Amino acid sequence: MAAQCCCRKAPGAEAAPARPPPEPPPALDVASASSAQLFRLRHLQLGLELRPEARELAGCLVLELCARRPAPRALVLDAHPALRLHSAAFRRAPAAAAAAAAEPPCAFAFAAPGPGPAPPPPLPAFCEAPGAEPACCPLAFRVDPFTDYGSSLTVTLPPELQEHQPFQVILRYTSTDAPAIWWLDPELTYGSAKPFVFTQGHSVCNRSFFPCFDTPAVKCTYSAVVKAPSGVQVLMSATQSTYVEEEGVYRFHMEHPVPAYLVALVAGDLQPADIGPRSRVWAEPCLLPTATSKLSGAVEQWLSAAERLYGPYLWGRYDIVFLPPSFPIVAMENPCLTFIISSILESDEFLVIDVIHEVAHSWFGNAVTNATWEEMWLSEGLATYAQRRITTETHGAAFTCLETAFRLDALHRQMKLLGEDSPVSKLQVKLEPGVNPSHLMNLFTYEKGYCFVYYLSQLCGDPQRFDDFLRAYVEKYKFTSVVAQDLLDSFLTFFPELKEQSVDCRAGLEFERWLNATGPPLAEPDLSQGSSLTRPVEALFQLWTAEPLDQAAASASAIDISKWRTFQTALFLDRLLDGSPLPQEVVMSLSKCYSSLLDSMNAEIRIRWLQIVVRNDYYPDLHRVRRFLESQMSRMYTIPLYEDLCTGALKSFALEVFYQTQGRLHPNLRRTIQQILSQGLGPGAEPGGPAADSEPGLLLGDEAPGSAISLRDVNVSA
């Protein structure tokens, strides 16, 4: 039988299926210098060597791309001054590129670093052209300034590149002093045994980890091979991981598309313990028993509740790694591997809420992602709503309402501080060129976003029907990035009766006001189901602010707060913080009644009481402030106290404590505290060395000194 031309079909054969429409280009992102709209990123492969002694990461990156139009002149990637590019190369995609993109890459042949400056890493095996496959050709590149949080890397491409033609760009680089990569000496860990490193990519830090399209609008699968010092365990946010003993490398593969900021790595003296059929915790050996006992069985309960509400968990495993106190935020929702600060282990209720919030991100934020940083509420507001639906199912409505009241209290506190006309109080914030997107993350992102989602749930009249809508929304948009209009269009399609109502101007829906009006939420949820827990808090606060004090204090001392939930005590202390400075006799009575009791409670309680001590210049309890700061290495428990100390009459006390403790703090945290102390001491002062700007990409805790707002007020997931 004669061979047939491939452009014709055999007689009687069925017509070939129509080619699917081209994938639309990603949304524009002013925080990205990249040319992401001109290319489709199919897969990225990372080859990394961790060099903790030099605080350096050596890398080889392979980007597998297709051009969206013929003959693009250059590929522009987000980068950072911390990245030193050694070479760029081009390779036409091998014939088996599609298959290779679905498999983990092969291992490296790393050169052992010798004395002096470390050489650039050799190309890993997957960067070499095998056999008859096309060879690499070098490419010209240049790095240009972009913003204070990144650079642009322009790589010149061959002129004959065709539309939709797969190709690879291969980059070799080293990264030193990168905002995304946190190196810890052994003494900054709990065990003080081995060096530790972790990455934190949200929002725009991962461009200092590897060159990329650093925008949430672009997602791709990834693979990685990592070489680390002997005895150091390496983990990544990936669906598959193996250790190849004979090669001494870890291999990872993420089979689902994720944005660049969710590529995460941690390495250190970490050991695992199973806590459920698809979950384990990783922690330093001395922390592992505590982490296991607090979460064993619970994570599976939360995952199962989330699945009943929003559909299957898509990521395979849900593991948690507890990081040393230097971790700059509370938790990060890296797929398959939540990062969480170990300091939170002593505060059970905060631990529960923080982990459930990260579980909720598996659906809202990771599976369906905000396409621009201007609409971060699409991840955080929906995740907060889902978190509270999960806690209602697993811990009851009263507890959920208490936690919500606590967070909304903090929202109103921030509202008073910023003013109702503040542009950052909008849900849909305009990101100006050059502004770090991290500065848009605040309580409005979480709590005003939550209130808007709650409003949508009330419009349909049935929380269960709204759960069904969110399940359909995730199914439709999973592994993609969306804008607010996608959510609202889907909502009105799912509830056609509301779509009809929306065209009636007399009963129109208020989407536009919710998204673009400044100020507090237009409506807040009914929290009456939590009144059994919130009423005692309000009553006790009223007693302490009533007159005559002697009678009020006697009545107040009869209330045993040792039996309260953590969120009740924290809410009570926050109310006292809002009223500070208090009359000195009130502070004396509060100290007599509560100081010893609160001193035995968890850090979330203690820091609030100590802020009351500092804001009221209550010297008899200053020794407790000193002891607390001497024992804390966490940003979330040090920055708020140093800010308060430097706005009052206790600057010299703050300096003295800092001199004694600075050696135990991470250099980034040390620089931030130096900046606070220098501002408090006036021009020219240099406590502990020259003051420096706080680390890029971190803002929570940057709020005005003296406010009751800090990063501990926010359920930080980024």
Side-chain angles (χ1 to χ4, degrees):
M1 180 178 177
Q4 295 183 356
C5 173
C6 64
C7 64
R8 297 181 182 177
K9 63 177 182 178
E14 294 183 3
R19 185 174 182 175
E23 180 183 312
L28 279 172
D29 184 352
V30 298
S32 172
S34 73
S35 55
Q37 291 203 311
L38 302 181
F39 299 91
R40 177 174 174 260
L41 178 60
R42 301 164 63 241
H43 186 76
L44 69 83
Q45 302 181 61
L46 281 166
L48 306 171
E49 183 177 15
L50 306 180
R51 299 170 174 172
E53 289 189 4
R55 292 178 174 260
E56 179 181 82
L57 178 145
C60 175
L61 170 69
V62 179
L63 297 171
E64 300 185 5
L65 300 146
C66 288
R68 294 182 184 273
R69 69 185 192 192
R73 298 177 60 185
L75 169 70
V76 183
L77 299 170
D78 291 302
H80 192 275
L83 287 179
R84 183 159 56 97
L85 267 292
H86 302 296
S87 67
F90 171 88
R91 185 171 71 183
R92 297 189 189 281
E103 296 294 332
C106 45
F108 280 84
F110 283 104
L123 284 175
F126 65 71
C127 295
E128 302 289 1
E133 298 287 2
C136 298
C137 63
L139 296 174
F141 63 88
R142 73 173 191 272
V143 178
D144 298 306
F146 175 58
T147 62
D148 62 0
Y149 56 84
S151 309
S152 67
L153 168 63
T154 302
V155 181
T156 304
L157 295 175
E160 68 275 9
L161 195 63
Q162 298 301 306
E163 185 178 11
H164 305 306
Q165 176 188 346
F167 67 96
Q168 296 178 343
V169 169
I170 303 162
L171 304 170
R172 286 198 298 161
Y173 67 94
T174 51
S175 183
T176 310
D177 294 327
I181 306 172
W182 292 60
W183 300 95
L184 277 62
D185 294 328
E187 55 267 25
L188 292 181
T189 68
Y190 282 102
S192 301
K194 296 176 183 176
F196 203 100
V197 62
F198 61 83
T199 65
Q200 171 58 20
H202 195 287
S203 303
V204 287
C205 287
N206 262 5
R207 60 190 67 187
S208 67
F209 181 10
F210 55 94
C212 56
F213 293 150
D214 199 2
T215 168
V218 174
K219 292 185 171 185
C220 73
T221 56
Y222 82 87
S223 304
V225 179
V226 184
K227 175 85 171 177
S230 176
V232 172
Q233 174 70 50
V234 182
L235 306 171
M236 289 191 76
S237 54
T239 50
Q240 300 171 30
S241 62
T242 57
Y243 178 64
V244 186
E245 188 171 0
E246 59 271 20
E247 297 168 355
V249 297
Y250 292 86
R251 297 169 60 171
F252 302 94
H253 181 67
M254 168 52 80
E255 64 189 88
H256 303 303
V258 295
Y261 77 88
L262 290 179
V263 177
L265 177 147
V266 58
D269 186 14
L270 296 168
Q271 293 184 1
D274 288 337
I275 55 170
R278 49 184 162 173
S279 300
R280 64 173 57 102
V281 291
W282 292 85
E284 293 185 65
C286 60
L287 291 177
L288 194 60
T290 301
T292 304
S293 65
K294 294 199 177 225
L295 291 174
S296 184
V299 171
E300 182 59 31
Q301 180 188 13
W302 301 331
L303 285 169
S304 297
E307 287 184 313
R308 290 193 297 271
L309 293 168
Y310 305 122
Y313 178 72
L314 301 168
W315 304 94
R317 295 198 58 82
Y318 183 89
D319 294 343
I320 299 170
V321 58
F322 284 93
L323 275 66
S326 299
F327 189 50
I329 59 176
V330 178
M332 182 63 204
E333 67 272 17
N334 300 310
C336 307
L337 186 67
T338 286
F339 286 17
I340 192 163
I341 193 168
S342 51
S343 312
I344 208 71
L345 277 169
E346 66 173 277
S347 307
D348 288 359
E349 291 179 22
F350 281 82
L351 174 66
V352 166
I353 292 300
D354 289 327
V355 175
I356 293 178
H357 185 83
E358 307 316 315
V359 165
H361 268 307
S362 301
W363 285 261
F364 307 102
N366 294 0
V368 185
T369 308
N370 49 283
T372 76
W373 295 119
E374 294 173 320
E375 295 183 328
M376 260 191 278
W377 71 270
L378 280 169
S379 291
E380 296 301 346
L382 280 161
T384 302
Y385 178 87
Q387 161 213 312
R388 288 175 181 153
R389 289 288 292 126
I390 297 167
T391 56
T392 299
E393 294 290 314
T394 57
H395 294 268
F399 174 73
T400 302
C401 289
L402 170 64
E403 184 268 334
T404 305
F406 170 78
R407 301 294 185 190
L408 290 177
D409 225 43
L411 176 69
H412 290 292
R413 193 175 306 123
Q414 192 169 72
M415 188 81 265
K416 290 179 184 176
L417 180 71
L418 298 175
E420 294 201 1
D421 294 330
S422 172
V424 301
S425 65
K426 294 180 180 181
L427 285 184
Q428 209 150 263
V429 186
K430 175 68 174 174
L431 181 61
E432 299 296 337
V435 175
N436 192 317
S438 294
H439 296 315
L440 303 184
M441 178 171 278
N442 52 45
L443 283 165
F444 299 98
T445 307
Y446 293 79
E447 298 304 332
K448 191 173 181 179
Y450 158 74
C451 288
F452 179 42
V453 179
Y454 181 86
Y455 162 78
L456 295 178
S457 76
Q458 295 300 293
L459 285 177
C460 72
D462 182 351
Q464 283 72 38
R465 283 191 73 204
F466 191 68
D467 293 335
D468 293 340
F469 157 67
L470 289 178
R471 178 192 287 250
Y473 165 77
V474 171
E475 179 60 31
K476 179 178 180 180
Y477 290 110
K478 64 185 178 185
F479 308 129
T480 68
S481 300
V482 299
V483 295
Q485 199 60 49
D486 295 322
L487 172 70
L488 299 179
D489 287 346
S490 297
F491 177 75
L492 294 177
T493 300
F494 197 89
F495 299 106
E497 66 277 15
L498 293 175
K499 190 170 186 177
E500 294 172 10
Q501 176 183 324
S502 69
V503 300
D504 181 350
C505 61
R506 292 169 300 174
L509 306 177
E510 295 189 286
F511 296 166
E512 183 66 24
R513 281 187 65 204
W514 270 102
L515 294 176
N516 292 303
T518 60
L522 301 183
E524 293 186 8
D526 176 9
L527 302 179
S528 58
Q529 288 181 287
S531 60
S532 62
L533 298 173
T534 55
R535 268 201 309 261
V537 174
E538 186 61 35
L540 184 60
F541 174 71
Q542 293 299 331
L543 281 173
W544 280 108
T545 53
E547 294 182 356
L549 177 62
D550 291 346
Q551 183 178 337
S555 300
S557 61
I559 299 174
D560 184 5
I561 68 170
S562 67
K563 294 181 170 58
W564 278 12
R565 288 182 173 271
T566 292
F567 278 116
Q568 287 179 288
T569 308
L571 183 59
F572 167 61
L573 294 174
D574 277 348
R575 296 280 174 87
L576 292 173
L577 269 171
D578 289 343
S580 293
L582 299 163
Q584 196 66 14
E585 60 271 21
V586 171
V587 181
M588 291 175 61
S589 296
L590 284 167
S591 178
K592 181 179 178 182
C593 193
Y594 299 127
S595 189
S596 296
L597 173 64
L598 296 175
D599 209 30
S600 66
M601 293 186 178
N602 63 60
E604 291 291 339
I605 299 300
R606 296 204 309 277
I607 189 174
R608 286 170 165 82
W609 168 245
L610 296 176
Q611 284 188 276
I612 292 171
V613 168
V614 170
R615 291 189 194 181
N616 289 277
D617 295 332
Y618 188 64
Y619 289 87
D621 272 355
L622 270 186
H623 68 284
R624 302 183 193 275
V625 177
R626 179 190 297 275
R627 189 167 68 239
F628 185 83
L629 287 174
E630 287 173 347
S631 67
Q632 292 294 334
M633 297 184 290
S634 167
R635 180 181 177 87
M636 63 192 287
Y637 295 134
T638 53
I639 294 296
L641 275 172
Y642 275 108
E643 287 179 335
D644 285 347
L645 285 166
C646 287
T647 57
L650 297 169
K651 301 183 189 72
S652 58
F653 174 83
L655 263 176
E656 180 185 335
V657 175
F658 176 69
Y659 280 135
Q660 294 172 353
T661 61
Q662 61 177 325
R664 298 195 295 273
L665 303 177
H666 188 277
N668 288 351
L669 177 57
R670 194 184 310 147
R671 286 195 296 267
T672 303
I673 296 174
Q674 286 172 345
Q675 182 186 33
I676 293 168
L677 292 169
S678 294
Q679 291 171 345
L681 292 168
E686 296 186 349
D693 290 339
S694 58
E695 52 270 38
L698 298 176
L699 82 155
L700 296 161
D702 289 350
E703 294 83 355
S707 74
I709 302 292
S710 69
L711 83 165
R712 61 173 172 75
D713 282 311
V714 187
N715 192 5
V716 190
S717 65

